[in-house]
Amino acid sequence: MSNTFCELFKPRDAFGAEQTLLFYTYLLGLTPFRLRGQAGGRQFQLSKLGYLNALLQLSFFSYCFLAALIEQQSIVGYFFKSEISQIGDSLQKFIGMTGMSILFLCSSIRVRLLIRIWDRISCVDDRFLNVGVCFNYPAIMRLRHLQILLINGVQLSYLISSNWMLLGNDVRPIYTAIVAFYVPQIFLLSIVMLFHATLHRLWQHFTVLNQVLKNLAHQWDTRTLKAVTQKQRSLQCLDSFSMYTIVTKDPAEIIQESMEIHHLICEAAATANKYFTYQLLTIISIAFLIIVFDAYYVLETLLGKSKRESKFKTVEFVTFFSCQMILYLIAIISIVEGSNRAIKKSEKTGGIVHSLLNKTKSAEVKEKLQQFSMQLMHLKINFTAAGLFNIDRTLYFTISGALTTYLIILLQFTSNSPNNGYGNGSSCCETFNNMTNHTL
C-alpha cells in the first residue's frame, strides 16, 4: 500500500510520471488502456472497460445533442436569437457532434500509436542514462497535476458563472443543452493537454540532448577533454525542475549514443504527429468557427449594430461570449506554441553538431559527427493537421487573416439587412440575393 501511494507522488519512470494524466483521460474515454506493473517493468494494456467507457461517453453526448436539437434549445439561443446566431449555433452543434465522434474514433482506432509514443519516450529516458542524464519524474508529475487542476478549474468556473448568469435572468437551461454546449470543451481541452504533455517530453529530450553536446564542446574549449574514470556530477542543472547530468563516457561513445537518442526522439515525434493529426485538425477547425461567431457577436454588440431583444445586459452578453472565445484561443495557442517550441529545440541540434565538427581533432570523433550531421539533414520533426497545413506560428497569421475576412462579411450582412438580421425583416439570404441582383 505504501509503495502504491509513493508511486502516485514520487514516480520513478516515464510511465509513472504520466499515470495521473492518462488515468484522467481514461475516465473520459480518450485513452482506453491502463498502466500495469511496477516501476521498471511497466507496460500498457488495452482495456475492454476503457472501450465501453468511450462508447458510453459518446452515446450520452449524442443523446443530449439530439435531444437539445429536437427541442430547439441551446445556450446561445438563451442569450439572443437572430438569423446569423441560429446559423452559428447550428454549425456549432454540427461540428461539436462531428468533432466528438472524430475524437473518440481516433482515440479508439489509433490507440496503439499513443502507446508506441510513450514506449518511445520511456526508451529515450533509459538511453539518456547511458550519457549520465536522469529526469526528475516527480516534478513532471506535479506539472501534470497543475495542468489538470488549471484546465478543470477554468472550465468549472466558466460553467458555474455562465449558468449563474442564466439563472439570474430567470433562464432555466435544460441539462441536455448544457451537456451539448459545455462537454465538447472538456474533451477538446483534454486532448490538447495530452498533446502538450507529449510535446513537453519531446522538447525536454531535445533540450537535454543539446546540453550534453554543449557540455562536450565546453570541455574541448577549456582543453579538459580526457578519459573519465570516475563519475563526475555536473555543476550546471539542465532544467530547473527535471534533470542533472553525469559525464562518464568517451566523446565518440557520447556522440554515437546521442545519434541513437536523436533518432528515437524523431521517431516519437513522427508517431505523435501521426496519432494527433486528425484530432488537431478537428480541434483547430472547431475553435476557429466558434471564435469567428463569438467575435462577431461581441463586435456587433460593442459597435452598436445589434438590435437584439435579450434579458441580458451588454456586459453579461459580452463577458459570456468573450470567455468562450478565450477558452478556444487558449487551445489554439497551446497547440501552436507546443509544436513551435519542439521544432525550435530540434533545430538547435544541428548548429551544436557543426560547432563540434569544427573543433574536433580526432578522426574518429569527426566521422561520428559527420554521420550525425547527415542524420540531422534527413530527420526533421514537424506537426501538421492531416497534412493540410503546418502547425507552427505561421498559423497565427493564417487564422487572423481568415478571421478578419469572415468578420467583415458577417458585419456587412448585418449592415445591409433592414433590421440588422433580427426580427421579421428580410433574412441574410434575401439580403445576399438582393446584393447579387443589384450587382448584375
Side-chain angles (χ1 to χ4, degrees):
M1 184 68 180
S2 60
N3 291 335
T4 303
F5 181 80
C6 185
E7 277 294 313
L8 289 175
F9 296 97
K10 293 183 179 180
R12 291 174 288 171
D13 59 10
F15 295 144
E18 308 295 341
Q19 61 184 331
T20 306
L21 175 60
L22 293 176
F23 181 69
Y24 173 76
T25 52
Y26 172 82
L27 293 177
L28 293 177
L30 298 173
T31 52
F33 56 81
R34 294 302 310 276
L35 186 61
R36 307 294 185 187
Q38 299 297 321
R42 297 179 188 272
Q43 61 180 359
F44 291 112
Q45 183 178 350
L46 295 178
S47 169
K48 293 181 180 178
L49 185 60
Y51 282 104
L52 178 60
N53 180 35
L55 181 61
L56 290 175
Q57 296 271 14
L58 183 59
S59 300
F60 176 68
F61 175 77
S62 301
Y63 162 75
C64 293
F65 167 80
L66 292 174
L69 189 64
I70 292 171
E71 296 182 32
Q72 296 184 343
Q73 298 288 321
S74 69
I75 299 297
V76 174
Y78 293 140
F79 278 87
F80 78 118
K81 288 186 178 180
S82 72
E83 291 176 348
I84 291 182
S85 73
Q86 288 174 353
I87 293 172
D89 192 34
S90 299
L91 283 173
Q92 185 172 339
K93 288 179 179 177
F94 173 75
I95 65 171
M97 185 64 226
T98 305
M100 290 286 287
S101 300
I102 292 174
L103 292 183
F104 277 103
L105 191 63
C106 290
S107 298
S108 299
I109 294 178
R110 304 164 73 88
V111 64
R112 294 185 186 278
L113 289 176
L114 183 60
I115 293 175
R116 191 184 307 167
I117 292 169
W118 291 110
D119 284 339
R120 285 285 184 273
I121 289 174
S122 178
C123 182
V124 171
D125 285 2
D126 292 340
R127 295 298 292 269
F128 267 120
L129 292 173
N130 295 334
V131 291
V133 177
C134 179
F135 291 88
N136 187 354
Y137 296 113
I140 296 173
M141 172 172 273
R142 287 194 294 271
L143 180 61
R144 299 292 180 262
H145 290 169
L146 179 62
Q147 290 172 335
I148 293 172
L149 290 174
L150 183 61
I151 292 295
N152 284 278
V154 170
Q155 292 173 334
L156 185 61
S157 299
Y158 180 61
L159 172 63
I160 292 174
S161 59
S162 56
N163 278 279
W164 175 80
M165 194 184 301
L166 289 169
L167 294 173
N169 288 274
D170 296 325
V171 177
R172 301 290 186 272
I174 60 175
Y175 84 92
T176 53
I178 293 175
V179 171
F181 183 83
Y182 293 103
V183 167
Q185 298 174 8
I186 298 173
F187 286 90
L188 264 62
L189 290 177
S190 297
I191 290 292
V192 172
M193 187 163 50
L194 186 61
F195 178 65
H196 195 270
T198 305
L199 293 179
H200 171 251
R201 292 311 317 275
L202 292 178
W203 82 55
Q204 201 175 52
H205 287 158
F206 278 118
T207 300
V208 178
L209 179 63
N210 293 341
Q211 191 62 47
V212 168
L213 295 173
K214 284 180 181 178
N215 286 348
L216 199 57
H218 178 69
Q219 290 177 3
W220 289 349
D221 287 339
T222 56
R223 298 183 181 276
T224 58
L225 181 60
K226 57 184 178 180
V228 180
T229 58
Q230 296 180 348
K231 292 185 178 180
Q232 298 176 353
R233 191 169 297 225
S234 172
L235 296 177
Q236 182 181 9
C237 186
L238 297 184
D239 190 306
S240 60
F241 65 87
S242 66
M243 62 200 77
Y244 61 85
T245 61
I246 304 171
V247 180
T248 60
K249 285 195 172 185
D250 179 76
E253 294 179 1
I254 292 176
I255 294 169
Q256 178 62 38
E257 195 72 37
S258 298
M259 288 173 57
E260 295 175 8
I261 289 172
H262 178 268
H263 188 271
L264 289 172
I265 299 172
C266 290
E267 280 188 356
T271 307
N273 181 55
K274 189 175 181 180
Y275 174 76
F276 286 104
T277 186
Y278 293 109
Q279 295 171 330
L280 294 180
L281 176 63
T282 302
I283 292 170
I284 292 172
S285 301
I286 291 174
F288 174 74
L289 183 62
I290 290 175
I291 289 170
V292 167
F293 281 98
D294 284 350
Y296 164 72
Y297 301 147
V298 171
L299 282 177
E300 186 188 40
T301 301
L302 294 178
L303 294 175
K305 293 179 176 292
S306 172
K307 294 182 179 179
R308 59 186 176 84
E309 296 180 1
S310 175
K311 301 178 181 180
F312 299 90
K313 299 176 183 178
T314 298
V315 64
E316 294 175 332
F317 183 88
V318 171
T319 300
F320 174 80
F321 288 104
S322 296
C323 288
Q324 187 190 22
M325 183 167 55
I326 290 170
L327 278 176
Y328 285 97
L329 278 172
I330 290 172
I332 291 179
I333 291 172
S334 297
I335 291 171
V336 171
E337 289 302 316
S339 302
N340 185 75
R341 187 172 181 181
I343 293 169
K344 294 300 181 184
K345 293 286 185 182
S346 69
E347 290 174 349
K348 290 181 179 180
T349 309
I352 300 171
V353 169
H354 283 88
S355 175
L356 288 171
L357 192 58
N358 292 331
K359 295 175 182 178
T360 184
K361 303 299 181 181
S362 168
E364 181 186 5
V365 173
K366 181 171 290 189
E367 182 182 358
K368 292 291 183 183
L369 288 170
Q370 287 174 341
Q371 292 175 5
F372 202 170
S373 178
M374 289 294 293
Q375 178 174 302
L376 290 168
M377 290 176 60
H378 295 286
L379 286 179
K380 296 182 179 180
I381 69 168
N382 71 313
F383 300 95
T384 67
L388 297 177
F389 51 85
N390 291 326
I391 299 176
D392 52 32
R393 287 184 175 173
T394 60
L395 188 59
Y396 291 143
F397 181 77
T398 304
I399 289 177
S400 300
L403 176 63
T404 303
T405 302
Y406 285 115
L407 283 176
I408 291 172
I409 293 172
L410 289 172
L411 289 172
Q412 282 180 337
F413 271 126
T414 303
S415 299
N416 285 304
S417 177
N419 291 316
N420 287 347
Y422 299 89
N424 297 321
S426 60
S427 67
C428 293
C429 295
E430 291 174 347
T431 303
F432 178 76
N433 291 332
N434 292 336
M435 292 170 60
T436 307
N437 293 333
H438 178 74
T439 305
L440 296 174

